[in-house]
């Protein structure tokens, strides 16, 4: 960023979802409730895993990381969006916009890699169950988690640095709900072909590569499940992966639709809806999916609630 007034933008204006006041109030209440459910649900999952020793396994170690990422991603976008829904002047300082892009892009990248790591964990659990504890030892799990966090952060840092070096030429109106990378790049008053190529290459590296690893893992998993003779055994193996597979479909689907399009780009409205999906809906649904579809988590909830009821009964008497 230079000192020339033609390139120096001190703040950006987010146009948001709607200019109608009644609609903004309705969306504020809706998103506030969903954000509170997101924070509560994910922290309860983390707490449950910490308290129940039966859940101290690699799968739930990665699920703890996923819950932390979901809460962090939602927090990087929703609080500011809530403030802007009730604000007359929806301004975001230059530095704050850059920070939001860095953190939201970082958390998103971490999640994509983390889901691939979780797919590998499920592959070992189903395809090589006798050696599961030997392969998925604590050291490997820690290294895989660190790899997820580092790769997502580095990718985000590179994109943020490249994006905010573009001259904006006083273009400060971002037609989006947040400082999303495609929306910010559109403000540049120079040719951004190279930026779009970098976004495409990065998406292939950090989105499509993990996605392909997930596909390969599940091809092997499904092949192994089909070889199981007993119906009960197949059901048990399927339930081991069902929750993760549901989250994979939710998370990868729209990201691929948004960033991997060689011939066309999604409309501005589509970009806004996709961002809402990732910031509001997905982080809220993930803990529900793992609670409803997972027998171990439901059993842990029942045990914890039973202990709580016992303590309450003793205090009452």
């Amino acid at each position: 960023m230079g000192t020339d007034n033609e390139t120096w933008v001190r703040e950006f204006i987010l146009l948001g979802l709607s200019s109608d006041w009644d609609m903004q109030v309705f969306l504020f209440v809706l998103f506030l409730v969903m954000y509170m459910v997101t924070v509560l649900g994910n922290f309860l999952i983390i707490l449950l895993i910490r308290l129940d020793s039966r859940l101290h396994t690699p799968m739930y170690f990665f699920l703890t990381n996923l819950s932390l990422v979901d809460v962090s991603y939602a927090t990087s976008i929703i609080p500011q969006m809530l403030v802007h829904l009730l604000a007359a002047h929806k301004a975001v300082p230059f530095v704050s916009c850059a920070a939001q892009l860095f953190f939201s892009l970082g958390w998103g990248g971490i999640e994509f890699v983390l889901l691939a790591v979780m797919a590998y964990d499920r592959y070992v659990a189903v395809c090589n169950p006798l050696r599961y504890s030997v392969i998925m030892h604590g050291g490997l799990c820690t290294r895989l988690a660190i790899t997820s966090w580092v790769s997502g952060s580095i990718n985000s840092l590179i994109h943020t640095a490249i994006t905010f070096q573009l001259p904006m030429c006083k273009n400060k109106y971002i037609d989006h709900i947040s400082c999303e990378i495609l929306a910010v790049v559109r403000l540049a008053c120079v040719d951004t072909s190279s930026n779009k190529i970098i976004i495409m290459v990065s998406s292939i590296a950090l989105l499509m590569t993990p996605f392909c690893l997930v596909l390969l893992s599940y091809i092997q998993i499904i092949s192994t499940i089909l070889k199981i003779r007993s119906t009960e055994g197949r059901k048990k193996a399927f339930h081991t992966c069902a929750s993760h597979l549901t989250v994979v479909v939710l998370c990868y689907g729209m990201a691929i639709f948004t960033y991997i399009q060689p011939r066309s780009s999604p409309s501005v409205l589509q970009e806004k809806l996709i961002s809402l999906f990732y910031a509001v809906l997905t982080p809220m649904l993930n803990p529900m999916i793992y609670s409803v579809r997972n027998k171990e988590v439901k059993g842990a909830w029942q045990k914890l609630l039973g202990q709580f009821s016992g303590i309450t009964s003793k205090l009452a008497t």
Side-chain angles (χ1 to χ4, degrees):
M1 183 178 69
T3 58
D4 189 343
N5 288 332
E6 292 301 314
T7 61
W8 188 3
V9 177
R10 294 177 181 272
E11 65 177 17
F12 297 97
I13 307 296
L14 291 172
L15 299 182
L17 289 168
S18 172
S19 58
D20 180 73
W21 174 250
D22 292 334
M23 177 58 71
Q24 290 184 75
V25 173
F26 169 76
L27 292 175
F28 173 84
V29 175
L30 176 63
F31 294 151
L32 176 61
V33 171
M34 294 177 75
Y35 178 62
M36 292 172 65
V37 172
T38 296
V39 174
L40 180 63
N42 281 285
F43 276 123
L44 282 176
I45 285 286
I46 294 171
L47 180 64
L48 183 69
I49 292 171
R50 293 289 297 174
L51 292 177
D52 197 316
S53 59
R54 294 175 300 177
L55 302 182
H56 293 175
T57 63
M59 175 182 174
Y60 295 105
F61 168 73
F62 295 130
L63 180 56
T64 298
N65 280 263
L66 182 64
S67 292
L68 286 172
V69 170
D70 280 339
V71 169
S72 301
Y73 185 84
T75 302
S76 71
I77 294 177
I78 298 177
Q80 181 194 72
M81 184 174 64
L82 292 174
V83 171
H84 283 187
L85 283 170
L86 300 183
H89 186 58
K90 308 179 191 300
V92 182
F94 184 95
V95 174
S96 297
C97 190
Q100 184 180 61
L101 176 60
F102 170 75
F103 285 111
S104 61
L105 201 61
W107 299 127
I110 292 167
E111 181 158 10
F112 292 137
V113 179
L114 191 58
L115 288 172
V117 170
M118 295 174 75
Y120 175 71
D121 172 71
R122 294 300 83 204
Y123 160 76
V124 177
V126 173
C127 300
N128 208 343
L130 297 179
R131 300 189 65 238
Y132 177 76
S133 59
V134 176
I135 297 173
M136 298 303 295
H137 55 85
L140 177 62
C141 292
T142 301
R143 288 195 294 272
L144 290 173
I146 290 174
T147 299
S148 302
W149 287 75
V150 171
S151 57
S153 300
I154 292 175
N155 174 73
S156 178
L157 181 61
I158 293 171
H159 275 299
T160 303
I162 292 174
T163 300
F164 282 92
Q165 285 181 351
L166 292 170
M168 302 300 176
C169 302
K170 295 185 178 180
N171 295 330
K172 63 178 183 178
Y173 290 93
I174 301 177
D175 192 5
H176 211 278
I177 63 169
S178 67
C179 293
E180 197 269 344
I181 186 168
L182 294 177
V184 175
V185 167
R186 278 198 296 268
L187 298 184
C189 55
V190 296
D191 181 32
T192 58
S193 300
S194 59
N195 293 77
K196 292 176 181 177
I197 291 173
I198 292 171
I199 292 172
M200 174 72 73
V201 172
S202 171
S203 299
I204 292 173
L206 204 67
L207 176 58
M208 291 307 298
T209 301
F211 179 66
C212 289
L213 292 175
V214 170
L215 282 180
L216 289 173
S217 296
Y218 273 100
I219 288 172
Q220 293 295 322
I221 289 170
I222 292 171
S223 175
T224 301
I225 290 175
L226 293 176
K227 293 176 182 177
I228 299 175
R229 294 183 178 181
S230 68
T231 304
E232 187 63 29
R234 284 197 297 269
K235 285 183 178 179
K236 184 177 179 180
F238 175 76
H239 281 297
T240 301
C241 306
S243 299
H244 177 255
L245 187 57
T246 304
V247 173
V248 163
V249 172
L250 286 173
C251 288
Y252 280 108
M254 288 195 177
I256 292 172
F257 175 77
T258 304
Y259 296 108
I260 309 294
Q261 296 194 67
R263 294 185 180 179
S264 63
S265 298
S267 67
V268 172
L269 178 59
Q270 286 175 328
E271 285 183 18
K272 291 181 182 181
L273 293 177
I274 290 168
S275 293
L276 280 174
F277 177 84
Y278 279 109
V280 180
L281 195 60
T282 302
M284 184 184 71
L285 290 178
N286 284 354
M288 297 181 185
I289 292 170
Y290 277 100
S291 296
V292 172
R293 300 296 300 272
N294 193 300
K295 292 182 179 180
E296 291 177 325
V297 173
K298 286 193 288 186
W301 277 124
Q302 291 170 357
K303 178 184 175 182
L304 184 63
L305 291 173
Q307 291 175 344
F308 180 76
S309 299
I311 294 171
T312 305
S313 299
K314 289 181 180 179
L315 291 175
T317 56

